[in-house]
Each structure stands twice: as C-alpha cells, then as structure tokens.
C-alpha cells in the first residue's frame, strides 16, 4: 500500500516536472497576470455610430435598463460603445465614379439624436465610448473593391450597399471589415504609418467633438492590428487596447484571419505602453446566446481572478422592435442574475479595469496568497497549451481538486475585498 502510494506520488511529481519543463512560460505568465479580488462584469458593445433614428431609441432603452441595475457600491451597469464615427456618403461616392471616398460623420446634424443618446448615457455613467475606427474598413480598400479590376459580383454588391442611406458596416464582407490592413487585395498588406497617423487624427477630431475628449480605450476592428497601430493610438491618448487574448495581423488569401502572432493576457503591455485587456465571452442574443451562458462564464472567470468582458454588437439591438426588446430583455436577465449570484459583483468601464491592472496597490487586486494560488491553478487547468499533458497524466484532475479545495476552504474574505 505504502509502495503504491509512493508510486502514485512519483508519477504526479514527474508529471508536474514535465509540465514545468514544457510549459514554464505559460505557468509563469498565468502567475504574473493580476488576480482580481471580486467579480467584475463589463458589457462591451461595438459598431455604434451614424444610422437611422431608431438606433437612438435603442440606445435610450439600453441606457434605461443599465441605469436600473446597481452593484453593491451603487454603481450602475456599464456598456462600452465601440464607436464607428462615420458612414460612407454612398450617393456622392457613386456619383464620383467610386474614385474618391467621402463620408458623413457623427458630427453631421442628421445624426443628432444618436449623438445625444450616446452623450446622455456617457454623462450618466452607463455608456463608455471607445475607439472603433472612423470607418469599420479602410477606405482605399473599399475603393479598390469597387474598381474595374475587382471581382464583378463583389463590386455590384458593394455598389448596392452604398445605395443605402446609412450603409451598415456589419453587412460588408468579413475581410473588408478589418480597418487596420489594406484588404483591397488578398492576402492583405500593412498600411503606411503616415496614413494610419492621419486616420487616427481624423477619428480623434470627431470623437473629441462628440464626447468632449478622446476615449482611453481602443478596440481593433475584427482584432486585426499591429505595432504601428498601437503607436498611433498611444500618440492620440489611447492607454488600453481590447483584445480576444491574441493578436491577428493580416487577412490570408481566402480573406480569413491569418494565424495569431502573439498570445495576450490581461495587463500585458504593448507599444506606447498600452495595457491589454482580454475580452473572450460572447453574448450575441441574435445568435442564441442566453443569460445562462453569461452566468457560467462569470463563475469561471471569477474563480480565475479575471474580469468577465462580454462581447456584443449593435446588430443585436437595431432590428425590428420585437427582436430589439428580446435582446435587451436577455441582457437585463443576464445582469440581474449575475447580481443575484454574486453579491460582491462590481460594474465598471474597461478603462477603469485597465487602471486596476496597472496598479498593484489597487484595492481591487487580490493579495491573499491562498486565493492567488487557487486562481493560478484554475487558469492553468483552463489553458489550451498544456491541456493534453494535463489530461494524459491525470494532473488536470489533481489541479482541479486542489483548486476546489483551496476555493472551498477559502471562507475568509480577503481583507481588501470589503473595499473593492
Ligand atoms: Zn466592429
């Protein structure tokens, strides 16, 4: 019996050694990633910008619901608005033979109702504007796809798209929606730094006009971006970049995303010292995502000491009124259920989360060693890289059991938790 016990012990010790040798970078990075001391839930929504006046009504209804939800500290639920600051002036582009790109921005009087709905929500703390492109595409790429050498079927589809009063960027081909590369021809090619810098300054001017200041947070369209983009953002006042946990830098020959070029964790730094946050929980009611999905994700992220950032899009909230109401209703159910499950849940903006990730002294950061070890074990168990070795050796079960034990006996609240 004693020998059997020693053999089992030796097996797991050898397995742990192998894990450390093969995946030491992952283990170290998981440990270094900040651990939050309480559950944090942020609704991240993208693609808001010029559109029909019904969009303003959707924003007002969202603001009403978000304001009715309060965390323990009295803070209302926050939805970030990834703002696309303009739409193409389709009639003018077509009249000019598609040789010159022309736009209408959020500053246009036609979009006053949307602008005011965004501003009112931001003033009440329920909306947090974020950079999401002056357009959701690179204008020269669009013109290239409208040119004589482009695919005729795609060219006609884009001409039809431009006929709309407010063309929706959601309706563009996926590859074209990557603003920060030239996808006029595939595979995509990088943009020149000077063109990027000019585009950022133009976008900053619109954002400053609409919101009085430029947001601190940027969301790369389709998560395709590179170092030059980060430097340009940082030069314009951006200090945080939202990521899916990895970075994509180009579109391949088929228009799909090329393989990611790097893995990203919460609190990692990019060019210009921008702080990355990871957003990888999807909540698209139009695609059938339900509140239960949010609650499960919140449970797992909280156990890992991470914030839960829900990714959603304008498209869920701008359809026929029945669809819009159903989507907003599901969002409300998700947030109310989260508050019921986690009495210490905190709502905040992504900019505030980035500030916590930067500040080791923040009261929102966990200091209790046992809780940090538990979060680390749960992170390791959820990693894709070591998944095979954890499964084959049985080490994954051991890690989960120890994590559960630490979580179960960790009845003492962090001394900082009451403040967070
Ligand atoms: Zn988008």
């Amino acid at each position: 019996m004693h020998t059997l016990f020693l053999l089992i012990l030796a097996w797991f010790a050898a397995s742990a050694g192998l894990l450390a040798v093969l995946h030491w970078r992952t283990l170290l990075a998981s440990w270094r990633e900040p651990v939050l001391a309480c559950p944090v839930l942020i609704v991240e929504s993208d693609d808001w910008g010029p559109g029909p006046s019904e969009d303003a009504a959707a924003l007002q209804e969202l603001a009403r619901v978000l304001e009715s939800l309060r965390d323990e500290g009295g803070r209302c639920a926050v939805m970030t608005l990834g703002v696309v600051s303009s739409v193409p002036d389709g009639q003018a582009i077509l009249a000019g033979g598609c040789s010159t790109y022309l736009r209408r921005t959020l500053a246009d009087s036609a979009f006053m109702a949307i602008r005011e709905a965004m501003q009112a929500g931001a003033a009440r703390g329920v909306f947090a504007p974020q950079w999401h492109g002056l357009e959701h595409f690179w204008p020269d790429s669009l013109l290239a796809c409208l040119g004589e050498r482009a695919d005729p079927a795609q060219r006609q589809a884009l001409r039809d798209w431009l006929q709309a009063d407010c063309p929706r960027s959601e309706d563009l081909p996926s590859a074209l929606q990557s603003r920060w590369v030239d996808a006029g021809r595939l595979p995509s090619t990088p943009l020149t730094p000077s063109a990027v810098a000019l585009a950022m300054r133009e976008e900053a001017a619109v954002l400053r006009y609409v919101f009085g200041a430029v947001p601190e947070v940027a969301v790369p369209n389709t998560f395709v971006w590179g170092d030059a983009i980060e430097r340009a953002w940082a030069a314009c006042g951006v200090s945080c970049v939202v990521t899916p946990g990895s970075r994509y830098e180009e579109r391949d020959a088929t228009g799909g995303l090329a393989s990611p070029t790097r893995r990203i964790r919460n609190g990692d730094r990019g060019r210009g010292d921008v702080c990355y946050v990871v957003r990888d929980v999807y909540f698209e009611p139009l695609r059938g995502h339900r509140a239960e999905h949010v609650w499960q994700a919140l449970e797992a992220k909280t156990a890992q000491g991470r914030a839960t950032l829900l990714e959603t899009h304008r498209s869920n909230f701008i359809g026929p009124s029945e669809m819009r109401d159903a989507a907003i209703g599901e969002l409300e159910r998700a947030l109310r259920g989260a508050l019921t499950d986690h009495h210490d849940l905190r709502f905040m903006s992504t900019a505030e989360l980035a500030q916590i990730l930067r500040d080791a002294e923040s009261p929102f950061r966990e200091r209790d060693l046992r809780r940090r070890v538990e979060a680390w074990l749960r992170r390791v168990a959820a990693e894709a890289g070591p998944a095979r070795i954890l499964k084959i050796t049985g080490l994954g079960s051991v890690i989960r059991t120890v994590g559960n034990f630490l979580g179960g006996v960790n009845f003492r609240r962090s001394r900082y938790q009451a403040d967070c």
Side-chain angles (χ1 to χ4, degrees), residues 20-348:
V21 169
L22 295 178
H23 297 284
W24 65 271
R25 284 190 182 86
T26 299
L27 301 184
L28 190 60
S30 296
W31 176 254
R32 284 179 171 165
E33 182 184 335
V35 177
L36 300 185
C38 57
V40 171
L41 183 58
I42 302 172
V43 184
E44 280 254 336
S45 70
D46 288 347
D47 302 345
W48 295 96
S53 57
E54 292 78 27
D55 290 11
L59 285 165
Q60 287 162 351
E61 180 60 12
L62 279 165
R64 187 191 66 75
V65 168
L66 295 167
E67 199 166 16
S68 72
L69 297 156
R70 302 273 167 172
D71 67 19
E72 197 179 44
R75 179 74 187 271
C76 55
V78 180
M79 174 184 262
T80 67
L81 300 180
V83 178
V84 178
S85 312
S86 76
V87 285
D89 187 341
Q91 301 301 328
I93 294 171
L94 291 169
C98 299
S99 59
T100 307
Y101 182 77
L102 297 157
R103 66 173 65 96
R104 291 190 297 158
T105 75
L106 257 184
D108 192 305
S109 60
F111 308 123
M112 187 170 70
I114 292 175
R115 204 166 62 229
E116 288 181 349
M118 288 180 171
Q119 291 165 338
R124 284 147 58 194
V126 294
F127 292 152
Q130 298 184 164
W131 297 65
H132 198 44
L134 186 53
E135 285 86 23
H136 207 299
F137 51 87
W138 188 247
D140 286 347
S141 302
L142 177 70
L143 292 181
C145 292
L146 285 160
E148 291 303 317
R149 287 192 291 178
D151 171 64
Q154 186 181 58
R155 184 170 63 223
Q156 187 55 51
L158 291 174
R159 291 181 69 88
D160 294 343
W161 179 73
L162 285 173
Q163 296 282 355
D165 187 41
C166 284
R168 299 287 203 187
S169 60
E170 297 93 326
D171 298 331
L172 283 172
S174 173
L176 266 185
Q177 291 188 39
S178 292
R179 173 171 173 79
W180 298 118
V181 288
D182 185 349
R185 283 190 199 148
L186 297 171
S188 64
T189 50
L191 304 173
T192 65
S194 58
V196 169
L198 177 62
M200 295 268 182
R201 287 198 295 273
E202 289 179 311
E203 185 179 359
V206 178
L207 291 171
R208 200 174 286 116
Y209 174 84
V210 175
F211 299 109
V214 292
E216 296 171 49
V217 182
V219 187
N221 313 74
T222 74
F223 292 125
V224 175
W225 83 104
D227 285 350
I229 312 300
E230 284 180 6
R231 286 195 194 92
W233 269 324
C236 289
V238 169
S239 59
C240 171
V241 174
V242 176
T243 80
S246 49
R247 183 161 89 176
Y248 301 88
E249 298 198 34
E250 63 175 319
R251 290 282 183 169
D252 64 22
T254 67
L257 292 170
S259 299
T261 53
R262 63 171 291 188
R263 170 77 200 272
I264 292 173
R265 292 171 189 278
N266 290 299
D268 284 355
R269 303 298 166 80
R271 301 293 174 185
D273 198 37
V274 296
C275 176
Y276 294 125
V277 297
V278 175
R279 172 178 102 181
D280 57 3
V281 179
Y282 298 95
F283 182 68
E284 311 279 12
L286 260 185
R287 298 186 184 181
H289 295 171
R290 306 297 304 275
E292 286 78 4
H293 170 68
V294 172
W295 302 333
Q296 285 171 3
L298 178 63
E299 196 71 42
K301 291 285 185 187
T302 300
Q304 294 165 10
R306 290 167 168 152
T308 305
L309 274 66
L310 302 181
E311 173 169 333
T312 191
H313 292 84
R314 173 180 74 169
S315 54
N316 292 286
F317 308 107
I318 57 172
S321 57
E322 317 82 65
M323 282 171 52
R324 184 193 74 188
D325 293 346
I328 295 176
E330 197 62 20
L331 176 64
E332 181 176 6
R333 194 167 77 88
L335 297 178
R336 284 200 189 284
L339 282 170
T340 303
D341 290 348
H342 301 270
H343 67 91
D344 51 349
L345 180 76
R346 291 298 166 132
F347 295 128
M348 64 181 67

